Amino acid sequence: MTDLDTLKYTAEHEWIAVDGDVATIGITDYAADKLGDVVYVDLPAAGSAVTGGAVCGEIESTKSVGELYAPVSGEIVEVNDAAVDDPSIVNADPFGDGWLVKLRVDPAGLDGLLDRAAYVALTEGDK
């Protein structure tokens, strides 16, 4: 079980787990719930560069199409092919097996992200 208090978050509903200079990124349970059943995931290719705050992928559900934003700039080092092959794991385990990409980052670039309390406060009034 992931300790949600150790993660960083964005206002666009991504979570970030940092291990050295590699950040694992996914969407939060809040986002997965709001999207509904995820049916398609389009992710950037490993080796590609992404820019913080820019769209880097797409998540399609039975309700809508959502954009995946890169929380920080960096290089994609791994893509979760399991989520591409079976998008339902994004709903089933958004903080675990439903991760989306791993990004090599400068850890100093993560300073502006939200902590758990700030993210909960952000989403609290919209349940």
Side-chain angles (χ1 to χ4, degrees):
M1 175 90 187
T2 301
D3 181 355
L4 303 182
D5 290 333
T6 64
L7 302 176
K8 298 287 189 184
Y9 300 87
T10 70
E12 289 76 30
H13 310 293
E14 285 102 10
W15 58 262
I16 300 99
V18 181
D19 183 13
D21 66 348
V22 175
T24 302
I25 298 163
I27 64 168
T28 65
D29 55 346
Y30 175 86
D33 182 58
K34 290 293 184 188
L35 280 169
D37 295 333
V38 175
V39 296
Y40 177 75
V41 176
D42 180 35
L43 301 174
S48 62
V50 296
T51 302
V55 173
C56 66
E58 188 175 275
I59 301 172
E60 185 176 331
S61 72
T62 54
K63 290 182 179 177
S64 67
V65 176
E67 295 175 323
L68 177 67
Y69 293 88
V72 294
S73 298
E75 177 189 352
I76 300 293
V77 294
E78 188 175 348
V79 173
N80 187 355
D81 291 327
V84 174
D85 294 341
D86 180 11
S88 69
I89 66 173
V90 174
N91 294 107
D93 191 10
F95 294 106
D97 291 339
W99 65 274
L100 299 174
V101 295
K102 293 188 179 188
L103 183 65
R104 186 172 319 282
V105 300
D106 176 357
L110 303 169
D111 290 345
L113 299 175
L114 304 172
D115 63 15
R116 181 72 182 164
Y119 182 72
V120 169
L122 176 75
T123 59
E124 205 167 45
D126 192 28
K127 289 187 177 180

